[in-house]
Amino acid sequence: MESEPYEDPAEELLDVVDAEDRVVGTARRGEVYARGLRHRCVFVRARDARGRTFVHRRTATKLLYPSRYDLFVGGVVGAGEEYDAAALREAEEELGVSGLAAPTPLFSFLYEDPDGHGSWWSRVYEVRCERPVEPQVSEVAWHAFLTDEELAARLPEWPWVPDGLAAWELLAEREREGR
């Protein structure tokens, strides 16, 4: 696999949004994080042909929550980008595959970060990935597809990204209620 071109994630332009998820401005990611500005994010649960969930540990170089485990692939929505396009882009980039079907949108929620990093509108998706994955080395330090039972055993043990854990808990609640 070819090495990835270096891009400074702090320089990426993001839309800044209000409490109703309306765009009110644009700022670089580094400024968004430093000032706790509300922005947009996507979470994509990737499942393989056997229904197992892709889980990974983030790299130590991530701007937010380095070296923590995540139940989703995803990330910030770029300036002018639609949620659906960001979900597909992030899933293909992080899983290292192309030609995925469009992720299915499940629900949205406003995440308020308890560590003082601000808040972000978050849209949760699901996608089926039946191809071998080659996760993006700049994003993923370790990965595996885990069964629901394996996940249940790891949830209390591993240090998870708090926004992904919040999305996971909301998803699990919705699935229990049959929504």
Side-chain angles (χ1 to χ4, degrees), residues 6-23:
Y6 177 77
E7 294 179 23
D8 184 353
E11 295 300 312
E12 181 180 6
L13 284 176
L14 307 181
D15 286 331
V16 176
V17 297
D18 66 13
E20 304 300 318
D21 197 17
R22 295 179 297 235
V23 176

Side-chain angles (χ1 to χ4, degrees), residues 55-59 65-72 141-144 146 154-155 157-165:
V55 176
H56 68 283
R57 191 177 70 245
R58 296 160 61 92
T59 59
Y65 308 121
S67 300
R68 290 207 189 174
Y69 290 88
D70 204 339
L71 297 146
F72 297 91
W142 169 91
H143 72 280
L146 300 180
R154 302 310 187 281
L155 283 171
E157 296 175 356
W158 290 355
W160 299 95
V161 295
D163 58 349
L165 187 57

